[in-house]
Amino acid sequence: MMNITDLMLNLLPSRTSDRLLQPLWDYLLFHHRALVSSPFFPVLVAFSSYFLFSIPFTVLDLLGERVPQFHQYKIQPDRKPTVEMMIRSCRTALYNHIFFVLPSVILSMFILPPPIMPQDAPTVSEVFIDGLAVLLLFDTQYYFWHFVHHKHQQLYRWIHAVHHEYSAPFSWSTEQLSIPELMTVGLWSNQDPLLLKVHPLTTWFITAFSIWMSVEDHIGYDFPWTLNHLVPLGLLGGAPAHDMHHQKPSSNYAPFFSHWDRIFGTALPLKKKTVKTQLKAVL
């Protein structure tokens, strides 16, 4: 009689695959199928990414001027996030996930069919192309949503104002969102890959990568090695653009890319503040 191990082995592709990510995909299916098939797994990927990516910048914020090699890149050096501000933002994110995201996932288990786990892993080119498509679609959705919520006073006050509590963003403020905004962003993040028929592994990669981009947008530092400097032609806005949005909310609405702000004339370059210029202004 075939045992469970033999049965699981038969579920794996018997042919040799030349796909670079196939060993990783086979490992996940064989050893962690229950975990990666769970509707809670994307939430785990997103929230753990937000938590882990925020920690290094928390250390930088707490050290401040004691690490001048990093502090020199601070966009608003006169505004330093406090431990209380960090805890408050993190607590908001935890509250939203526990009382709204997780119940929504549980509800979806009774409505949506279980995810399909294909035998083949995506190719590297598929990860790149499909991931870029998901990012571009989300960027478009959020640009117009963001624009409307800044132009409509009631929508801004009821939904988006929570995110603008601080004019100088920091890493933990990335997910300081109202419930309606979080659920809207979560809907796009979950449905866009399904709409574009993206492989689950690609979806998880792009989830973690998009969280990194979001955290990087909010760090409050204009490091020369961040994505907006590494990607040519100013295609990404990065921390400089989003920091400017928090200073001048009628600008830089796109979350990642810069093309929509350029097309509609809402792009605004960063005007970096320095301690010296502020002292001169006071004198």
Side-chain angles (χ1 to χ4, degrees), residues 15 18 41 57 76 100 126 128 141 170 175-176 190 197 203-204 208 226 234 262:
R15 61 180 174 78
D18 58 353
F41 185 66
F57 303 109
Q76 300 186 58
F100 291 93
E126 286 172 344
F128 179 80
Q141 292 165 327
F170 51 94
E175 294 205 16
Q176 182 166 319
N190 285 281
K197 299 181 179 179
T203 300
W204 305 330
T226 48
R262 292 180 181 180

Side-chain angles (χ1 to χ4, degrees), residues 262-282:
R262 292 180 181 180
I263 291 172
F264 290 102
T266 53
L268 185 65
L270 173 68
K271 296 179 181 178
K272 186 175 179 181
K273 298 179 181 180
T274 64
V275 176
K276 289 183 179 179
T277 55
Q278 289 171 12
L279 286 175
K280 288 180 181 178
V282 171

Side-chain angles (χ1 to χ4, degrees), residues 162-182:
V162 173
H163 188 65
H164 279 270
E165 181 175 351
Y166 305 114
S167 59
F170 51 94
S171 59
W172 293 107
S173 67
T174 304
E175 294 205 16
Q176 182 166 319
L177 307 172
S178 69
I179 300 303
E181 180 166 0
L182 176 66

Side-chain angles (χ1 to χ4, degrees), residues 14 18 57-58 61 75-76 82 118 122 133 143 161 190 199-200 202 236 238 265:
S14 58
D18 58 353
F57 303 109
T58 301
D61 284 331
I75 297 174
Q76 300 186 58
T82 64
Y143 176 88
N190 285 281
H199 193 284
T202 302
L236 298 181

